[in-house]
Structure formats: structure tokens, C-alpha cells
């Protein structure tokens, strides 16, 4: 029997098991992470090795450096996750890995590492979509959260509004037509002289700024729930460059606050619109930008005003981690989804609908 046939044969018994423990790995961008998750909801251990300091030297993620750093770190984070859990590989039920979207070299490191581990340990391997992982971070923070709900996913690469119909079952309602929210934050931060990753630094700077200092355009893309951040970003960059050319000192905090307000207002407006139309009672946030203080505060106010439930991952679960991958993997395993050893990285993978 080859490995995949052997895994498929085990799958039925595994799906009916009382408790399922999954060792998950994430390496889609600049975090090498491993975690052990029980039943999609309980974090037994979680290790995140961030390469941010290395990439900060270059002002952004350098894909080649990211791949090499993942190669160096992947064994270490897996060992550490097992050690923190006080577990051996033989006490696990399955393995999971992010196979897209993301940087191809970075993804390949994780995919090959986990394929090798699956082959030698005879543990089934579950392929996970990184965006689905972000959504699933909410299952780790909010124990009683059940679909259906609406989710606003805002990260460095994606800005989506999705209806989560059921576990691992989505309908895409809207998305960005150009830049992602995190990408816009990072580009605006760079103009203000902030290093990578710019989003959290811009947000910190904005705390002492006047958010009405600069009025920015409100983009209106064709799709009712779509976003567009490119016009807003260009208007911001132009305003900064004009001041620079005139030799004026940039009011950096005011500019940061004005930019943050414009992005957060757009995200809130579209999310509320989608919530009202959907008839759903729960809105979840997901992705790196959902760690933004202003977004969390505004969404809290709005959800109280409109009477819907708001769920947000704990701050450390908003940005990239392997715990969220382990949660998503559990629900994919329950649906019987396994990878064989031909699994490849897919840098442009979209959320499976
Ligand atoms: O989800 P994530 O860790 O990686 C991707 O899947 O892209 O998101 C990273 C993005 C970066 O663009 C980063 O600047 C942004 O999330 N980000 C923030 C904050 N924390 C992370 N943006 C605004 N405010 C924050 N506090
Ligand atoms: Zn991410």
C-alpha cells in the first residue's frame, strides 16, 4: 500500500476519534511557525519565529532571504512546539501545512518539510489555505463561535468580506480591487519614514495625531462590498511629496492619524453594509490589520450601535501563526481532505468557495 492509500484507510477512524491533535506549520511569508491544536479549538502549544528584524534591514520582505530563513527555522519551531506540548510525534493524529497563498519559496519550505514528516511519521497531511487560517483564528479565541457569520479579512495581501456559511464553506461577497489594506498601511508608513512592518508603527504614531488634518478621498469601486485603497494611498503619497518639495516639515502623527482614519472608516462602512444585507448576527475580523487598535475600537462601537456580535482574534492570533492553520486543518480533516505527496505550493491560491 502506498502512503496516501494508507492515510485514506486511516481517515474514517480518525474522523470519528474523540480528540484530534494536529501539528500545523505556517511559512507563507516571514513567520516560521508551528503549533499543536486539539479539536480545532484548543492551543496546546504555539511557536512563532519572526524574521521581521532581518527584513527590516531592507525595508520589506526579501523573498529569497525569507525562504532561506524558513529552511533554517522549520525544524527548530517544530521541535519547540512538541517540547512545549510535552508530546512526541506518535501522540499526534495529523499534520497540516499552509500551501498558499504567499511567497512561493517560503511556502515550498513548509510544504516540503511537512511532506517529509508525513512520509516518515505516517501521519496524514492536511493542506490549508492561509486565508482560511486567518478566519479560523476566531475559533481559537471565541469557543462558542459557530458559522454562519460574516468575516472581514484584512491582511498584507488580502482584503475580503466573506460569508462563512459553514466550516470550510465560504461565499466571497467583496474584495479589494487593487491594494490590500495592510499593503496600503505599509506603503503609507514608508513615506512617513517608518520601517517594515509599517502598519503597527503607523498606528502607534497615529495615537498622538489629529485625524482631521488631511482629508482623503473615499473610493467607490463598482462592487457594493468591494474595497479600493490605491486612490487613497496615492492621494496620501502626493500630499506628503508636495510638502516635502516645499521644504515643509511633515506633521507625521497627523498624517498617520488621517490615513488610519480613512482606511478604518472604509472598512467599517463596507462591513456594516454587508452585515445589514446579510441578515447575520455575528461579524468576525481576521488578518494582520485586525490587530489595528482603531479598527477594533470603531468596530466595537459600530457593532454595539447596530446590535450585532463582534468577534476578534486575540492580538497575537491576528498576524501570521500556525495555531490558526491547525484550527482550519481540523475542519478540513472532518471533511475528509488530505494531501498526497504531490502537494505543491500555490502562491496564488484563492479561498475555496
Ligand atoms: O496577516 P498578516 O500577518 O500577513 C499576511 O497574511 O499578509 O498581515 C500583515 C499585515 C502587514 O501589512 C502589517 O503592516 C499589517 O498586517 N498590520 C497592521 C497592524 N498589525 C499588522 N496594520 C495596521 N495596524 C496594525 N496594528
Ligand atoms: Zn497572513
Amino acid at each position: 500500500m502506498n502512503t496516501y492509500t494508507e492515510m485514506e484507510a486511516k481517515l474514517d477512524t480518525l474522523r470519528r476519534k474523540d480528540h484530534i491533535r494536529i501539528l500545523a506549520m505556517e511559512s507563507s511569508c516571514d513567520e516560521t511557525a508551528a503549533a499543536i491544536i486539539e479539536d480545532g479549538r484548543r492551543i496546546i502549544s504555539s511557536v512563532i519565529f519572526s524574521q521581521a528584524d532581518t527584513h527590516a534591514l531592507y525595508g520589506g520582505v526579501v523573498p529569497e532571504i525569507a525562504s532561506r530563513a524558513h529552511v533554517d527555522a522549520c525544524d527548530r519551531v517544530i521541535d519547540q512546539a512538541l517540547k512545549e506540548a510535552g508530546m512526541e510525534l506518535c501522540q499526534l493524529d495529523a499534520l497540516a501545512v499552509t500551501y498558499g497563498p504567499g511567497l512561493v519559496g517560503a511556502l515550498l519550505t513548509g510544504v516540503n518539510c511537512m511532506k517529509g514528516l508525513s512520509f516518515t511519521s505516517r501521519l496524514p497531511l492536511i493542506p490549508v489555505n492561509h486565508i482560511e487560517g486567518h478566519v479560523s483564528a476566531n475559533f481559537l479565541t471565541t469557543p462558542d463561535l459557530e458559522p454562519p457569520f460574516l468575516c472581514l479579512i484584512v491582511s498584507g495581501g488580502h482584503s475580503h468580506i466573506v460569508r462563512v456559511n459553514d466550516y470550510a464553506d465560504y461565499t466571497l461577497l467583496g474584495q479589494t480591487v487593487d491594494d490590500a489594506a495592510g499593503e496600503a498601511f505599509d506603503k503609507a508608513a514608508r513615506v512617513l519614514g517608518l520601517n517594515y512592518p509599517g502598519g503597527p508603527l503607523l498606528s502607534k504614531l497615529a495615537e498622538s495625531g489629529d485625524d482631521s488634518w488631511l482629508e482623503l478621498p473615499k473610493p467607490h469601486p463598482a462592487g457594493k462590498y468591494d474595497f479600493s485603497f490605491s486612490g487613497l494611498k496615492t492621494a496620501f503619497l502626493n500630499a506628503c511629496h508636495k510638502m516635502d518639495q516645499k521644504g515643509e516639515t511633515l506633521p507625521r502623527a497627523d498624517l498617520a492619524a488621517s490615513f488610519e482614519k480613512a482606511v478604518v472608516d472604509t472598512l467599517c462602512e463596507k462591513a456594516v453594509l454587508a452585515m445589514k444585507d446579510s441578515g447575520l448576527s455575528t461579524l468576525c475580523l481576521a488578518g494582520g490589520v485586525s490587530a489595528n487598535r482603531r479598527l477594533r475600537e470603531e468596530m466595537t462601537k459600530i457593532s454595539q450601535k447596530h446590535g450585532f456580535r463582534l468577534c476578534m482574534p486575540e492580538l497575537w492570533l491576528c498576524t501570521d501563526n500556525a495555531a490558526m492553520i491547525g484550527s482550519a486543518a481540523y475542519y478540513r480533516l472532518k471533511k475528509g481532505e488530505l494531501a498526497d505527496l504531490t502537494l505543491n505550493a500555490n502562491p496564488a491560491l484563492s479561498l475555496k468557495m
Side-chain angles (χ1 to χ4, degrees):
M1 209 168 7
N2 70 30
T3 318
Y4 187 66
T5 323
E6 180 187 325
M7 303 301 175
E8 266 194 317
K10 282 186 190 168
L11 187 61
D12 245 15
T13 329
L14 185 54
R15 281 161 73 188
R16 278 184 269 111
K17 225 183 141 213
D18 274 349
H19 294 293
I20 298 178
R21 288 166 179 171
I22 298 175
L23 168 65
M25 171 145 200
E26 154 65 34
S27 71
S28 65
C29 189
D30 62 339
E31 260 92 30
T32 324
I36 299 176
I37 303 300
E38 186 173 67
D39 301 333
R41 298 275 179 166
R42 191 169 84 79
I43 303 173
I44 301 179
S45 69
S46 171
V47 179
I48 303 170
F49 169 70
S50 173
Q51 309 169 5
D53 289 350
T54 308
H55 297 294
L57 300 172
Y58 307 92
V61 178
V62 183
E64 179 62 20
I65 293 176
S67 312
R68 285 168 190 269
H70 285 306
V71 171
D72 283 346
C74 58
D75 285 357
R76 226 176 334 123
V77 293
I78 290 172
D79 283 348
Q80 187 68 23
L82 285 165
K83 199 169 155 202
E84 279 184 16
M87 293 172 78
E88 308 271 336
L89 268 181
C90 61
Q91 291 170 276
L92 298 171
D93 299 296
L95 304 173
V97 69
T98 306
Y99 73 111
L103 301 170
V104 67
L107 290 164
L108 272 172
T109 311
V111 166
N112 286 324
C113 171
M114 292 310 257
K115 281 202 299 192
L117 197 57
S118 168
F119 184 73
T120 52
S121 66
R122 305 308 238 197
L123 288 169
L125 178 61
I126 307 152
V128 176
N129 180 310
H130 181 79
I131 311 173
E132 184 167 317
H134 276 303
V135 175
S136 304
N138 285 286
F139 296 134
L140 298 168
T141 300
T142 309
D144 66 336
L145 176 66
E146 301 273 355
F149 56 83
L150 207 77
C151 191
L152 171 71
I153 310 160
V154 272
S155 70
H158 301 90
S159 305
H160 285 351
I161 295 182
V162 298
R163 187 183 196 282
V164 182
N165 305 312
D166 200 346
Y167 293 107
D169 177 7
Y170 310 90
T171 305
L172 179 66
L173 300 180
Q175 61 185 321
T176 182
V177 295
D178 39 58
D179 293 352
E183 192 182 350
F185 263 108
D186 293 341
K187 287 178 181 164
R190 192 176 296 185
V191 180
L192 296 178
L194 300 168
N195 207 337
Y196 172 83
L201 297 175
L202 184 146
S203 179
K204 187 89 197 100
L205 183 63
E207 281 175 19
S208 57
D210 169 8
D211 64 15
S212 63
W213 199 88
L214 177 68
E215 192 152 344
L216 289 161
K218 265 204 173 157
H220 289 290
K224 194 174 176 190
Y225 311 120
D226 283 345
F227 301 107
S228 167
F229 295 109
S230 154
L232 194 158
K233 177 200 68 190
T234 307
F236 181 81
L237 302 193
N238 286 344
C240 294
H241 287 153
K242 264 190 204 150
M243 277 184 270
D244 248 352
Q245 279 163 357
K246 286 192 211 157
E248 293 171 10
T249 312
L250 295 186
R252 292 166 69 248
D254 298 336
L255 285 165
S258 304
F259 182 81
E260 184 177 50
K261 176 183 183 333
V263 174
V264 167
D265 284 356
T266 305
L267 294 174
C268 289
E269 196 182 296
K270 293 289 169 122
V272 167
L273 193 62
M275 271 307 284
K276 281 187 180 166
D277 291 351
S278 72
L280 294 168
S281 57
T282 304
L283 172 68
C284 293
L285 306 186
V289 180
S290 63
N292 181 269
R293 183 192 49 85
R294 185 179 186 125
L295 179 65
R296 293 169 85 92
E297 285 173 5
E298 291 304 316
M299 283 288 189
T300 304
K301 281 188 218 155
I302 282 171
S303 58
Q304 279 160 2
K305 182 173 162 203
H306 294 278
F308 54 78
R309 183 185 188 195
L310 177 70
C311 301
M312 301 181 280
E314 268 178 71
L315 285 180
W316 75 274
L317 286 166
C318 291
T319 43
D320 290 350
N321 64 85
M324 66 186 197
I325 304 302
S327 172
Y330 172 79
Y331 296 105
R332 288 282 167 190
L333 176 72
K334 285 279 180 183
K335 286 194 155 186
E337 292 184 22
L338 286 186
D340 61 24
L341 293 178
T342 64
L343 179 69
N344 203 353
N346 183 349
L349 185 68
S350 56
L351 198 58
K352 272 193 222 164
M353 300 295 163

